[in-house]
PDB file of all heavy atoms in Angstrom:
ATOM      1  N   LEU B 184      12.359 -40.198  15.124  1.00 92.00           N
ATOM      2  CA  LEU B 184      11.764 -39.237  14.206  1.00 92.00           C
ATOM      3  C   LEU B 184      12.046 -37.794  14.618  1.00 92.00           C
ATOM      4  O   LEU B 184      11.810 -36.867  13.854  1.00 92.00           O
ATOM      5  CB  LEU B 184      10.252 -39.437  14.153  1.00 92.00           C
ATOM      6  CG  LEU B 184       9.723 -40.577  13.279  1.00 92.00           C
ATOM      7  CD1 LEU B 184       8.230 -40.713  13.437  1.00 92.00           C
ATOM      8  CD2 LEU B 184      10.089 -40.349  11.825  1.00 92.00           C
ATOM      9  N   ILE B 185      12.552 -37.631  15.847  1.00 91.00           N
ATOM     10  CA  ILE B 185      12.753 -36.254  16.351  1.00 91.00           C
ATOM     11  C   ILE B 185      14.048 -35.680  15.778  1.00 91.00           C
ATOM     12  O   ILE B 185      15.107 -36.306  15.852  1.00 91.00           O
ATOM     13  CB  ILE B 185      12.770 -36.251  17.884  1.00 91.00           C
ATOM     14  CG1 ILE B 185      11.343 -36.521  18.374  1.00 91.00           C
ATOM     15  CG2 ILE B 185      13.277 -34.921  18.433  1.00 91.00           C
ATOM     16  CD1 ILE B 185      11.199 -36.632  19.860  1.00 91.00           C
ATOM     17  N   LEU B 186      13.931 -34.499  15.171  1.00 91.00           N
ATOM     18  CA  LEU B 186      15.095 -33.859  14.577  1.00 91.00           C
ATOM     19  C   LEU B 186      15.981 -33.303  15.697  1.00 91.00           C
ATOM     20  O   LEU B 186      15.491 -32.701  16.658  1.00 91.00           O
ATOM     21  CB  LEU B 186      14.666 -32.723  13.644  1.00 91.00           C
ATOM     22  CG  LEU B 186      13.809 -33.151  12.442  1.00 91.00           C
ATOM     23  CD1 LEU B 186      13.327 -31.937  11.671  1.00 91.00           C
ATOM     24  CD2 LEU B 186      14.572 -34.103  11.516  1.00 91.00           C
ATOM     25  N   ALA B 187      17.299 -33.523  15.525  1.00 88.00           N
ATOM     26  CA  ALA B 187      18.246 -33.138  16.598  1.00 88.00           C
ATOM     27  C   ALA B 187      18.244 -31.635  16.822  1.00 88.00           C
ATOM     28  O   ALA B 187      18.142 -30.850  15.879  1.00 88.00           O
ATOM     29  CB  ALA B 187      19.638 -33.604  16.207  1.00 88.00           C
ATOM     30  N   ARG B 188      18.364 -31.256  18.095  1.00 89.00           N
ATOM     31  CA  ARG B 188      18.521 -29.840  18.423  1.00 89.00           C
ATOM     32  C   ARG B 188      20.014 -29.564  18.501  1.00 89.00           C
ATOM     33  O   ARG B 188      20.747 -30.213  19.242  1.00 89.00           O
ATOM     34  CB  ARG B 188      17.834 -29.519  19.735  1.00 89.00           C
ATOM     35  CG  ARG B 188      16.338 -29.591  19.535  1.00 89.00           C
ATOM     36  CD  ARG B 188      15.525 -28.983  20.606  1.00 89.00           C
ATOM     37  NE  ARG B 188      14.138 -28.933  20.117  1.00 89.00           N
ATOM     38  CZ  ARG B 188      13.066 -28.832  20.896  1.00 89.00           C
ATOM     39  NH1 ARG B 188      13.221 -28.746  22.191  1.00 89.00           N
ATOM     40  NH2 ARG B 188      11.863 -28.811  20.373  1.00 89.00           N
ATOM     41  N   LEU B 189      20.474 -28.590  17.724  1.00 88.00           N
ATOM     42  CA  LEU B 189      21.915 -28.391  17.514  1.00 88.00           C
ATOM     43  C   LEU B 189      22.554 -27.490  18.567  1.00 88.00           C
ATOM     44  O   LEU B 189      23.729 -27.623  18.865  1.00 88.00           O
ATOM     45  CB  LEU B 189      22.165 -27.818  16.108  1.00 88.00           C
ATOM     46  CG  LEU B 189      21.686 -28.748  14.980  1.00 88.00           C
ATOM     47  CD1 LEU B 189      21.818 -28.079  13.631  1.00 88.00           C
ATOM     48  CD2 LEU B 189      22.479 -30.050  15.012  1.00 88.00           C
ATOM     49  N   VAL B 190      21.793 -26.532  19.073  1.00 85.00           N
ATOM     50  CA  VAL B 190      22.383 -25.583  20.039  1.00 85.00           C
ATOM     51  C   VAL B 190      21.535 -25.564  21.309  1.00 85.00           C
ATOM     52  O   VAL B 190      20.844 -24.604  21.580  1.00 85.00           O
ATOM     53  CB  VAL B 190      22.461 -24.155  19.449  1.00 85.00           C
ATOM     54  CG1 VAL B 190      23.405 -23.278  20.294  1.00 85.00           C
ATOM     55  CG2 VAL B 190      22.921 -24.170  18.004  1.00 85.00           C
ATOM     56  N   PRO B 191      21.523 -26.688  22.078  1.00 85.00           N
ATOM     57  CA  PRO B 191      20.732 -26.645  23.267  1.00 85.00           C
ATOM     58  C   PRO B 191      21.244 -25.537  24.201  1.00 85.00           C
ATOM     59  O   PRO B 191      22.441 -25.257  24.183  1.00 85.00           O
ATOM     60  CB  PRO B 191      20.932 -28.035  23.913  1.00 85.00           C
ATOM     61  CG  PRO B 191      22.108 -28.619  23.237  1.00 85.00           C
ATOM     62  CD  PRO B 191      22.287 -27.922  21.931  1.00 85.00           C
ATOM     63  N   PRO B 192      20.424 -24.878  24.994  1.00 87.00           N
ATOM     64  CA  PRO B 192      19.009 -25.219  25.231  1.00 87.00           C
ATOM     65  C   PRO B 192      18.052 -24.585  24.230  1.00 87.00           C
ATOM     66  O   PRO B 192      16.858 -24.654  24.451  1.00 87.00           O
ATOM     67  CB  PRO B 192      18.793 -24.627  26.633  1.00 87.00           C
ATOM     68  CG  PRO B 192      19.667 -23.408  26.660  1.00 87.00           C
ATOM     69  CD  PRO B 192      20.843 -23.732  25.787  1.00 87.00           C
ATOM     70  N   THR B 193      18.542 -23.935  23.159  1.00 88.00           N
ATOM     71  CA  THR B 193      17.592 -23.337  22.220  1.00 88.00           C
ATOM     72  C   THR B 193      16.916 -24.443  21.418  1.00 88.00           C
ATOM     73  O   THR B 193      17.354 -25.590  21.419  1.00 88.00           O
ATOM     74  CB  THR B 193      18.299 -22.370  21.223  1.00 88.00           C
ATOM     75  OG1 THR B 193      18.976 -23.174  20.256  1.00 88.00           O
ATOM     76  CG2 THR B 193      19.271 -21.456  21.941  1.00 88.00           C
ATOM     77  N   ARG B 194      15.849 -24.051  20.697  1.00 91.00           N
ATOM     78  CA  ARG B 194      15.093 -25.074  19.935  1.00 91.00           C
ATOM     79  C   ARG B 194      15.578 -25.191  18.492  1.00 91.00           C
ATOM     80  O   ARG B 194      14.884 -25.774  17.670  1.00 91.00           O
ATOM     81  CB  ARG B 194      13.605 -24.704  19.966  1.00 91.00           C
ATOM     82  CG  ARG B 194      13.061 -24.603  21.386  1.00 91.00           C
ATOM     83  CD  ARG B 194      11.569 -24.713  21.426  1.00 91.00           C
ATOM     84  NE  ARG B 194      10.895 -23.533  20.947  1.00 91.00           N
ATOM     85  CZ  ARG B 194       9.573 -23.456  20.726  1.00 91.00           C
ATOM     86  NH1 ARG B 194       8.823 -24.500  20.926  1.00 91.00           N
ATOM     87  NH2 ARG B 194       9.012 -22.335  20.325  1.00 91.00           N
ATOM     88  N   PHE B 195      16.720 -24.618  18.203  1.00 92.00           N
ATOM     89  CA  PHE B 195      17.275 -24.659  16.849  1.00 92.00           C
ATOM     90  C   PHE B 195      17.519 -26.134  16.418  1.00 92.00           C
ATOM     91  O   PHE B 195      18.261 -26.865  17.072  1.00 92.00           O
ATOM     92  CB  PHE B 195      18.594 -23.884  16.780  1.00 92.00           C
ATOM     93  CG  PHE B 195      19.216 -23.834  15.438  1.00 92.00           C
ATOM     94  CD1 PHE B 195      18.693 -23.001  14.463  1.00 92.00           C
ATOM     95  CD2 PHE B 195      20.306 -24.633  15.128  1.00 92.00           C
ATOM     96  CE1 PHE B 195      19.256 -22.961  13.187  1.00 92.00           C
ATOM     97  CE2 PHE B 195      20.878 -24.590  13.850  1.00 92.00           C
ATOM     98  CZ  PHE B 195      20.342 -23.761  12.895  1.00 92.00           C
TER      99      PHE B 195
END
Side-chain angles (χ1 to χ4, degrees):
Chain B
L184 280 175
I185 290 176
L186 298 175
R188 291 195 169 159
L189 298 174
V190 195
T193 76
R194 301 199 287 171
F195 182 76

